[in-house]
């Protein structure tokens, strides 16, 4: 797969349709990846003006009627490119996810859009994965996004699809990638469940904290948060876990 040339971006915590909202908890994402398409469409319709709603309705009807490729590029793929202009940047992620869902895009189609699309379109593909791909077939897209330095792509890659399908080794390194790049760990879907009792993750976090401390650099607050999660659910013992002493 072609490696995208990603630009740096600042992560945010969007609302159900991709608009900024309050901070989410480690297990409560509010991106389009976490919201069922029917609810996503209703939330988006309430926020769009009349012209944008009309465009979205038409785009979804076209995608549902002509889901496959027609010529060198399908109609619904053109609508993905228009979404930012038609719906506004704040709502474009949700609109693109809805178009992909209406088109019933399979792994091949999603891979094509991801490889050929803009960073915004790649992000929409990542958000759409849990709605469209039941198995691990699209993991190469997640892995590709995690290799980039685009923080918005990294955050989008760590939604429910990654929580279900990334193996333990990949997932641990993805969490560390968040700490390296400043992506809030709140973006990591199902963080508490996957971190619980993970001694190897605890070791990696403690090593990273020690490296930063030795270099007289601040240890990210999110590191302490994840480190605490690795101990959650563990039976109490008389001896304090050395990892728990990080503060």
């Amino acid at each position: 797969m072609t490696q995208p040339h990603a630009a740096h971006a600042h992560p945010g915590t969007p609302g159900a349709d991709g608009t900024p909202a309050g901070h989410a908890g480690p297990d409560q994402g509010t991106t389009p990846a976490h919201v069922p398409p029917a609810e996503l469409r209703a939330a988006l319709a309430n926020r769009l003006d009349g012209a944008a709603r009309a465009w979205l309705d038409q785009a979804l009807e076209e995608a549902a009627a002509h889901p496959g490729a027609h010529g060198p590029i399908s109609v619904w793929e053109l609508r993905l490119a228009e979404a930012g202009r038609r719906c506004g940047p704040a709502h474009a992620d949700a609109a693109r996810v809805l178009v992909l869902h209406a088109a019933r895009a399979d792994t091949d189609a999603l891979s094509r859009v991801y490889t050929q699309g803009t960073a915004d379109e790649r992000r929409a593909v990542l958000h759409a994965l849990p709605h469209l791909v039941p198995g691990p077939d699209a993991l190469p897209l997640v892995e590709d996004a995690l290799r980039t330095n685009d923080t918005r792509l990294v955050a989008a890659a760590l939604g429910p699809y990654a929580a279900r399908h990334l193996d333990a080794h990949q997932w641990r390194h993805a969490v560390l990638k968040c700490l390296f790049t400043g992506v809030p760990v709140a973006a990591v879907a199902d963080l508490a469940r996957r971190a619980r009792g993970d001694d190897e993750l605890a070791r990696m976090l403690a090593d990273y904290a020690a490296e930063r401390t030795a270099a007289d650099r601040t240890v990210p607050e999110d590191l302490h948060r994840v480190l605490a999660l690795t101990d959650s659910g563990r039976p109490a013992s008389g001896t304090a876990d050395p990892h728990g002493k990080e503060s």
Side-chain angles (χ1 to χ4, degrees):
M1 181 173 297
T2 302
Q3 176 75 15
H5 299 287
H8 290 274
H10 297 289
T13 305
D17 63 346
T19 57
H23 294 290
D27 293 321
Q28 294 191 331
T30 51
T31 68
H34 296 79
V35 183
E39 294 179 23
L40 186 63
R41 184 171 183 179
L44 185 57
N46 287 334
R47 299 191 182 193
L48 295 177
D49 62 25
R53 278 197 305 273
W55 176 87
L56 180 64
D57 289 343
Q58 181 179 351
L60 297 181
E61 289 173 8
E62 289 174 342
H66 305 287
H70 297 272
I73 189 168
S74 60
V75 173
W76 58 266
E77 288 179 74
L78 295 174
R79 300 297 172 253
L80 294 177
E82 294 178 7
R85 177 166 54 88
R86 297 287 191 168
C87 297
H91 306 297
D93 276 1
R96 292 187 179 104
V97 168
L98 290 172
V99 170
L100 289 166
H101 185 262
R104 303 185 292 282
D106 60 13
T107 303
D108 287 342
L110 292 167
S111 297
R112 182 176 69 251
V113 172
Y114 182 93
T115 303
Q116 299 175 359
T118 65
D120 289 340
E121 290 162 13
R122 292 196 292 271
R123 189 171 63 252
V125 167
L126 295 167
H127 285 316
L129 292 181
H131 305 310
L132 291 169
V133 184
D137 295 352
L139 265 180
L141 305 184
V142 172
E143 293 164 354
D144 187 89
L146 291 173
R147 287 193 295 268
T148 73
N149 291 320
D150 184 329
T151 55
R152 297 182 73 190
L153 275 183
V154 172
L158 289 172
Y161 187 82
R164 289 198 292 265
H165 298 297
L166 277 181
D167 66 29
H169 176 78
Q170 292 173 309
W171 186 81
R172 291 177 188 125
H173 282 276
V175 172
L176 284 182
K177 175 93 177 201
C178 289
L179 299 175
F180 296 155
T181 59
V183 172
V185 295
V188 182
D190 216 6
L191 176 64
R193 180 187 66 82
R194 292 211 57 170
R196 185 176 299 118
D198 191 333
D199 291 334
E200 177 61 15
L201 177 61
R203 183 196 64 76
M204 294 167 68
L205 293 169
D207 287 348
Y208 180 52
E211 289 172 7
R212 292 189 65 89
T213 299
D216 200 24
R217 301 182 67 184
T218 303
V219 176
E221 190 61 36
D222 268 357
L223 185 147
H224 303 306
R225 179 180 180 180
V226 181
L227 197 54
L229 290 172
T230 65
D231 263 350
S232 60
R234 198 185 300 276
S237 64
T239 303
D241 187 327
H243 295 309
K245 293 181 179 180
E246 289 285 350
S247 61

